[in-house]
Amino acid sequence: MNIEFDKEYLRELYEEGKSSDKKHRYPPEVIKAYAKCIYRIEEAPAIESLFQYHSLNYEVLKGKKKGISSIRVNEKYRIEFKTSKSDKDVTICTILELTNHYK
């Protein structure tokens, strides 16, 4: 699956392990788990294959966030993303946010 990042700090966290934006600072264990989750999405042949990883708790959100999916990074954080198909029938996953699930 192809990965795109909606915000620069999300790409930096994945590729560099830190963000230059002081507003988006996370503990090292969260960044490591985030990178592992992005890798799992990237390696997935189809978005439905994320269901096999029960620890990710893959779900399609409802209400104000209808059309957005999420996976769990750890007990506190989750990754929110959208999927779409390109003209060549390739699934594109756009990472929207790394959020604190309980805020």
Side-chain angles (χ1 to χ4, degrees):
M1 205 170 322
N2 290 347
I3 303 288
E4 294 180 350
F5 296 95
D6 190 49
K7 298 173 181 81
E8 183 63 20
Y9 87 91
L10 295 167
R11 184 199 58 76
E12 289 176 345
L13 287 175
Y14 179 58
E15 294 177 356
E16 301 169 23
K18 60 183 178 179
S19 171
S20 59
D21 182 1
K22 293 183 184 205
K23 182 179 172 186
H24 297 101
R25 298 285 169 102
Y26 297 95
E29 62 274 4
V30 172
I31 295 171
K32 185 176 179 180
Y34 167 76
K36 187 176 178 181
C37 289
I38 297 296
Y39 178 76
R40 285 237 170 100
I41 294 171
E42 198 171 37
E43 293 300 310
I47 199 68
E48 294 79 17
S49 62
L50 294 176
F51 281 117
Q52 72 182 343
Y53 301 106
H54 297 290
S55 63
L56 293 179
N57 196 27
Y58 171 72
E59 63 183 330
V60 178
L61 303 178
K62 302 172 186 168
K64 292 190 306 186
K65 295 192 176 196
K66 186 176 180 180
I68 297 174
S69 298
S70 76
I71 58 172
R72 193 71 51 90
V73 172
N74 64 13
E75 294 150 1
K76 191 174 178 181
Y77 291 93
R78 70 181 179 185
I79 297 170
E80 295 178 356
F81 60 94
K82 283 186 177 184
T83 58
S84 59
K85 295 276 187 183
S86 72
D87 335 357
K88 298 177 182 171
D89 206 32
V90 174
T91 302
I92 299 169
C93 181
T94 305
I95 308 301
L96 302 173
E97 197 68 64
L98 174 61
T99 63
N100 184 332
H101 185 60
Y102 296 103
K103 276 193 175 181

